[in-house]
Amino acid sequence: AQSVTQLGSHVSVSEGALVLLRCNYSSSVPPYLFWYVQYPNQGLQLLLKYTTGATLVKGINGFEAEFKKSETSFHLTKPSAHMSDAAEYFCAVQRSYNTDKLIFGTGTRLQVFP
Amino acid sequence: GAVVSQHPSRVICKSGTSVKIECRSLDFQATTMFWYRQFPKQSLMLMATSNEGSKATYEQGVEKDKFLINHASLTLSTLTVTSAHPEDSSFYICSATFGQGRTEAFFGQGTRLTVV
């Protein structure tokens, strides 16, 4: 079975500071991993995904994440936070290709202070 | 990217009434649609998976008679909350995937349901 753990339900950073949102997964098969962002009262927008190949994946809005199999981690980073990055971030794992369901972590709320 | 439209974005209904939420894929044919429920400040919990033309597969603990899902066409899935109660108040989100070789799920904007 798959599961996702997001460490830290709230993360606060200053504008311009490094953003690090942690995600660890559990999967009995090679996972597909995703990071989504959710703004208040809106659906989810895909930030980036890892399926196969290069373990460092770059996404939209300057975010990137690195798949580390040995650590079963897929942490999300951004070198310099912007006020507009304030939102809820969800890490998700998918068991297999195509149409299988996503298992979401509990989410991390990112606050950015001026 | 592909667009999924969910309607309505907000709905308020009286206890005991039924509410229908629509999820449409606007520019692709969605072979599979997923319905999620999200409580305040919590994660998304999958309610059911629906494939066009077949019955939905519900997750454990989700009442299929209360949350009716219909996926009658490749571009439309509906979730009907029957005999709604205040505890059904929540944020409901749909997502859709399509074709072979696609890993991305496209999400609707969500529907805020308030039962009074």
Side-chain angles (χ1 to χ4, degrees):
Chain A
Q2 285 71 38
S3 67
V4 177
T5 302
Q6 288 184 244
L7 295 175
S9 58
H10 288 82
V11 171
S12 297
V13 299
S14 298
E15 192 173 21
L18 171 71
V19 175
L20 170 61
L21 304 183
R22 297 179 187 274
C23 173
N24 288 87
Y25 69 90
S26 172
S27 178
S28 56
V29 298
Y32 296 103
L33 296 159
F34 304 79
W35 274 100
Y36 287 89
V37 60
Q38 183 183 34
Y39 296 98
N41 294 310
Q42 293 189 29
L44 274 69
Q45 181 182 9
L46 180 68
L47 278 177
L48 49 80
K49 63 184 177 186
Y50 169 79
T51 54
T52 58
T55 56
L56 180 63
V57 292
K58 297 185 184 297
I60 62 172
N61 302 338
F63 285 94
E64 62 182 38
E66 186 171 10
F67 170 63
K68 291 187 176 180
K69 185 178 179 181
S70 61
E71 298 177 8
T72 60
S73 69
F74 191 57
H75 302 329
L76 181 71
T77 60
K78 182 174 180 177
S80 176
H82 192 272
M83 296 295 288
S84 60
D85 295 327
E88 188 86 21
Y89 291 81
F90 292 97
C91 182
V93 64
Q94 185 182 47
R95 181 176 57 189
S96 64
Y97 211 53
N98 201 16
T99 59
D100 204 11
K101 60 187 179 184
L102 288 164
I103 307 298
F104 286 89
T106 49
T108 298
R109 181 167 297 278
L110 176 65
Q111 287 185 305
V112 182
F113 294 100
Chain B
V3 179
V4 174
S5 177
Q6 200 172 328
H7 179 80
S9 58
R10 290 177 178 271
V11 59
I12 301 173
C13 70
K14 292 184 177 180
S15 257
T17 61
S18 295
V19 173
K20 180 183 286 188
I21 302 169
E22 293 187 348
C23 180
R24 293 182 184 273
S25 55
L26 298 185
D27 51 2
F28 66 99
Q29 293 186 322
T31 49
T32 304
M33 286 188 170
F34 303 86
W35 286 95
Y36 295 85
R37 181 173 181 177
Q38 185 180 30
F39 292 101
K41 300 181 180 181
Q42 293 189 30
S43 189
L44 284 74
M45 300 301 297
L46 181 66
M47 299 174 67
T49 304
S50 74
N51 293 292
E52 184 265 340
S54 60
K55 289 185 177 180
T57 301
Y58 289 81
E59 294 298 302
Q60 191 173 7
V62 178
E63 298 176 61
K64 57 183 67 177
D65 293 332
K66 180 162 189 64
F67 298 100
L68 300 179
I69 292 172
N70 183 279
H71 192 165
S73 78
L74 283 171
T75 59
L76 174 65
S77 176
T78 60
L79 167 66
T80 301
V81 183
T82 63
S83 187
H85 291 282
E87 56 265 32
D88 298 325
S89 298
S90 192
F91 194 59
Y92 294 88
I93 305 176
C94 71
S95 73
T97 61
F98 65 98
Q100 279 299 114
R102 300 286 182 178
T103 60
E104 183 172 351
F106 299 94
F107 285 81
Q109 311 95 312
T111 298
R112 172 74 59 194
L113 170 63
T114 303
V115 184
V116 298

